[in-house]
Amino acid sequence: MRQSAGGAVEDMADKKKPRYGAWIIVGVILLGLAGFGTGGLSGNIRNIGTVGDKEVSVASYQRALNEQIRALSAQFGQQITFQQAQQFGLDQRALSQLVLLRTLDNEAAALGVSVGDERVFARLQAIPSFQGAGGFNRETYRLALQQSGQTAAEFEAGIREEVARSLLQAAVVSGIPTPDPYADALVQYLSETRSITWAAVGSDALTAPVPGATPEAQQAYYDANPEAFTLPEARDITYVWLTPSMILDDMTVTDAAVEQLYTQRLSDFVQPERRLVERLVYLDQARAEDARARLDAGEVTFEELVAERGLALTDIDLGDVSREDLRAAGDAVFAAETGEVVGPFNSTLGPALFRMNAVLAAQETPLEEAAPELREELAAEAAREFINDNTDQIIDLLAGGATMADLAERTDMQLGTISWTPDNSEGIASYDAFRREAALVQEGQFAEIFDLSDGGIFALTLNGITPPQLQPLEDVREQVIAAWMAQAEQEAVIARAEEIAADILPLTGFETLGLVPVVEEGMTRRSFIEGTPPGFNAQIFEMSIGEVRVIDALEGALIVRLDDIAQPDLADPTVVAQRDAVADTAASGIAQDLFDAYATTLQQQTEQNLNQATINAVNAQFQ
């Protein structure tokens, strides 16, 4: 059984034999997006129920569920199945969110909260997906809706309700006073500073060597710390596995296939000149031209124009772009000198100024240089195809009662054993999938084929479990002695530091006691001082002026003296900004809590009629 990468590179994807039919259905539904409900469920069932006077459409539930699945898939870095989504409760979460939105829509309608066509159109114009070369493009808008399966009336009604919900929320939380006392107290706490002098004390400060560990001391330490000398539970596992790298050299890759892939990926190997560009967008042409005039007159710098828009340079950085990427601004930007600003030119977001920051020269990698990398890539893909094509046969062998040894004898899979613990991450145990299954497998469990992240597969059986075992003292005596010595030395260092600290007064120079002092001023609770242990700041802020304290640094000790306490300058712009930020955050939190309580009360007071049979039918489309 061997695989050739031949010349038909484009046919590789067609040869795969997916083992999970649910993946196909989920993929179709994701592509369908909002189109669901127009053809499924007989085409007549368009709603899953009502909330108050508002209908809850099948399409909106399907979109909400798709969004939840996509978000979690992005978080995991791989597409999750609908069954997995249900295990995480995504279907219930999507339904709950949708019911909440329709509850608010119902309340807004009951209160007469609505918006006009002008407001709706303004929102449409701000959506990037509907933009053309000159701004909002109706044909682009029409095509986007057509692809999503929505009519303009449905989409615009959704926008109208969304804006109405925003107005309702703003009305509920308006008038909440800024929590000034809270902000003042918190900023006072965070901005208060300390000035300290500290020095490290190590084993070189000891006046006498630490005596060795006696047999009695060794036994006592061993008895007091059994967890340090206990082997973890070990799972005795037999496994077979096959990865692309194991059969890479057996794959045949033709020169024609390499050349074809090079041609398909030519843009990766032949890149035209590019530019590093920043783009500052304005709401209209007049404002963009005014900014350009002020820049030309020397009244402002480009950085100041960016700051005026409430942006940072990172917000307007386009990275490296081609002439075509820049559209109308392409020729001007590519003709500009480094640091030069051109424009305004129309962009997808509106009129904008462009600053050219660097020239990236054209690059070309010839086929001869790219061939080894492409050949290896094709061989790896062929190896993955080979494994995928033969997996069904391996599954059939398992179903017929084949053991791990049988699979190794009758297929290309390799046999191995491992005494696996959570600390083991070598060989096959370096794969997350193996570690996950190794922790779950039970004795007598029917063996299955599992996928590895590199396209490989494996199966495993559990032979037995060795429970945690305390190792005999004789087997770990050297470890016991080393641990006892480290503890004894640390205790001796701390005791020596206490002796030295007793001689330190508020004005004592640390140098006179043989210490190397470090002075820290303006230290806050959030400061980080290199060389200090966890909890160092907390201890400093417990001390009083003139107090000297010895702090355990885990490997050595620190002698610290608090020299001064300073209250924050409440007129300092930095402190003022911090206080305002704290107040805004607190006010936002209060507003959110208030609105959540309001929404919860609305839900309790609003009649809900949801058809579980219809919801189940929608869910069935994902399976």
Side-chain angles (χ1 to χ4, degrees):
M1 298 188 296
R2 286 292 178 265
Q3 182 79 20
S4 171
V9 177
E10 69 277 7
D11 291 335
M12 287 181 176
D14 297 332
K15 296 180 182 178
K16 283 191 175 288
K17 297 179 180 178
R19 298 184 292 282
Y20 305 104
W23 285 98
I24 300 174
I25 297 174
V26 171
V28 170
I29 290 175
L30 287 175
L31 289 174
L33 192 63
F36 179 84
T38 60
L41 298 178
S42 79
N44 296 321
I45 302 176
R46 301 184 59 84
N47 302 307
I48 62 173
T50 60
V51 177
D53 295 331
K54 294 291 183 179
E55 295 179 341
V56 183
S57 71
V58 167
S60 62
Y61 172 62
Q62 184 264 345
R63 284 195 298 271
L65 186 49
N66 267 330
E67 289 173 3
Q68 292 285 345
I69 292 174
R70 281 198 298 271
L72 191 60
S73 296
Q75 182 178 339
F76 286 162
Q78 64 180 30
Q79 181 64 46
I80 66 171
T81 66
F82 181 68
Q83 288 74 16
Q84 291 171 320
Q86 283 189 307
Q87 291 175 0
F88 284 105
L90 298 190
D91 54 336
Q92 293 300 316
R93 187 184 306 172
L95 183 60
S96 297
Q97 291 180 351
L98 188 57
V99 168
L100 172 60
L101 292 179
R102 297 309 276 162
T103 300
L104 296 174
D105 291 339
N106 183 73
E107 182 68 9
L111 295 174
V113 179
S114 184
V115 294
D117 293 341
E118 183 177 349
R119 186 82 170 266
V120 173
F121 185 63
R123 290 295 296 272
L124 285 176
Q125 288 182 304
I127 298 176
S129 302
F130 304 150
Q131 303 296 317
F136 178 75
N137 187 291
R138 290 190 178 276
E139 182 62 18
T140 302
Y141 174 50
R142 185 188 66 79
L143 289 174
L145 292 183
Q146 182 179 352
Q147 291 173 357
S148 70
Q150 297 182 84
T151 67
E154 290 172 338
F155 187 77
E156 290 167 15
I159 290 181
R160 200 180 305 275
E161 288 179 331
E162 178 187 344
V163 177
R165 285 197 302 268
S166 300
L167 294 174
L168 177 62
Q169 181 173 5
V172 171
V173 302
S174 63
I176 295 177
T178 304
D180 292 330
Y182 168 81
D184 291 340
L186 186 57
V187 168
Q188 180 85 14
Y189 176 83
L190 294 175
S191 301
E192 193 176 62
T193 63
R194 299 291 189 271
S195 295
I196 62 172
T197 302
W198 66 280
V201 177
S203 58
D204 56 347
L206 297 177
T207 56
V210 177
T214 64
E216 294 76 16
Q218 297 169 29
Q219 185 69 52
Y221 188 89
Y222 173 82
D223 293 339
N225 300 278
E227 67 284 348
F229 310 107
T230 298
L231 293 174
E233 175 186 279
R235 300 169 70 84
D236 181 18
I237 291 173
T238 298
Y239 64 89
V240 287
W241 63 325
L242 181 62
T243 66
S245 62
M246 293 178 182
I247 56 175
L248 203 62
D249 293 339
D250 297 329
M251 298 296 106
T252 301
V253 179
T254 66
D255 292 340
V258 173
E259 185 174 354
Q260 182 178 356
L261 183 57
Y262 178 82
T263 302
Q264 291 174 350
R265 301 249 303 271
L266 191 61
S267 60
D268 293 340
F269 302 106
V270 180
Q271 294 187 350
E273 277 193 14
R274 300 175 72 82
R275 298 291 188 269
L276 294 179
V277 178
E278 293 164 335
R279 179 185 64 188
L280 181 58
V281 180
Y282 284 87
L283 297 177
D284 53 53
Q285 186 71 18
R287 297 184 188 185
E289 290 176 351
D290 177 68
R292 179 66 207 230
R294 293 167 57 210
L295 184 66
D296 291 342
E299 298 176 6
V300 293
T301 64
F302 186 74
E303 288 79 4
E304 289 170 341
L305 288 176
V306 174
E308 287 179 356
R309 297 298 317 279
L311 302 170
L313 290 177
T314 54
D315 298 325
I316 66 169
D317 185 13
L318 295 180
D320 60 293
V321 293
S322 67
R323 188 188 303 264
E324 291 72 24
D325 293 334
L326 294 168
R327 300 188 180 186
D331 290 340
V333 169
F334 271 67
E337 299 292 331
T338 300
E340 184 179 350
V341 178
V342 299
F345 293 101
N346 281 331
S347 72
T348 55
L349 300 180
L353 299 179
F354 297 80
R355 181 165 70 172
M356 198 282 285
N357 292 316
V359 175
L360 301 181
Q363 295 181 342
E364 180 174 353
T365 303
L367 174 61
E368 293 73 20
E369 293 183 16
E373 178 184 339
L374 295 176
R375 189 176 301 277
E376 183 175 346
E377 180 181 331
L378 286 170
E381 179 61 24
R384 288 191 289 270
E385 291 290 339
F386 172 81
I387 293 172
N388 187 73
D389 289 345
N390 288 278
T391 297
D392 287 344
Q393 174 194 349
I394 297 171
I395 292 174
D396 291 341
L397 290 173
L398 283 175
T403 65
M404 299 295 102
D406 293 335
L407 291 181
E409 181 179 349
R410 301 173 63 178
T411 73
D412 289 290
M413 300 188 81
Q414 296 184 9
L415 183 68
T417 60
I418 185 173
S419 181
W420 182 80
T421 70
D423 295 333
N424 191 335
S425 59
E426 298 180 355
I428 193 172
S430 64
Y431 292 89
D432 290 339
F434 179 84
R435 291 197 298 272
R436 180 179 63 250
E437 298 304 329
L440 297 175
V441 65
Q442 300 297 317
E443 287 189 70
Q445 179 178 319
F446 180 78
E448 300 178 59
I449 290 295
F450 299 101
D451 293 320
L452 294 170
S453 58
D454 60 359
I457 55 174
F458 73 97
L460 75 169
T461 56
L462 179 65
N463 305 320
I465 298 178
T466 302
Q469 290 185 341
L470 177 63
Q471 301 172 84
L473 175 57
E474 288 306 317
D475 292 349
V476 293
R477 188 172 295 278
E478 290 186 5
Q479 299 175 39
V480 172
I481 292 173
W484 184 93
M485 287 294 295
Q487 177 178 288
E489 183 175 279
Q490 178 67 3
E491 291 172 352
V493 169
I494 291 176
R496 176 58 182 153
E498 294 284 3
E499 293 176 3
I500 298 174
D503 294 329
I504 296 178
L505 298 174
L507 298 179
T508 301
F510 277 43
E511 301 90 338
T512 62
L513 299 174
L515 301 174
V516 179
V518 178
V519 176
E520 304 285 353
E521 296 181 343
M523 174 183 169
T524 70
R525 285 179 169 84
R526 294 178 293 182
S527 297
F528 171 74
I529 300 177
E530 188 174 357
T532 61
F536 178 77
N537 286 23
Q539 293 199 54
I540 297 304
F541 277 79
E542 293 173 353
M543 297 170 61
S544 56
I545 294 178
E547 180 182 349
V548 179
R549 182 176 295 191
V550 173
I551 296 177
D552 188 342
L554 305 181
E555 294 183 2
L558 304 180
I559 299 177
V560 185
R561 182 181 64 202
L562 181 62
D563 297 325
D564 190 30
I565 297 175
Q567 300 301 321
D569 179 5
L570 298 181
D572 183 279
T574 302
V575 176
V576 172
Q578 186 180 40
R579 182 227 176 261
D580 292 343
V582 168
D584 290 343
T585 300
S588 297
I590 294 171
Q592 186 62 54
D593 291 343
L594 179 61
F595 187 76
D596 289 345
Y598 170 75
T600 299
T601 302
L602 273 186
Q603 284 188 281
Q604 294 170 349
Q605 297 174 349
T606 304
E607 183 179 1
Q608 299 178 15
N609 293 298
L610 300 177
N611 189 323
Q612 189 59 49
T614 304
I615 296 172
N616 293 340
V618 176
N619 291 343
Q621 302 299 311
F622 287 84
Q623 300 179 16

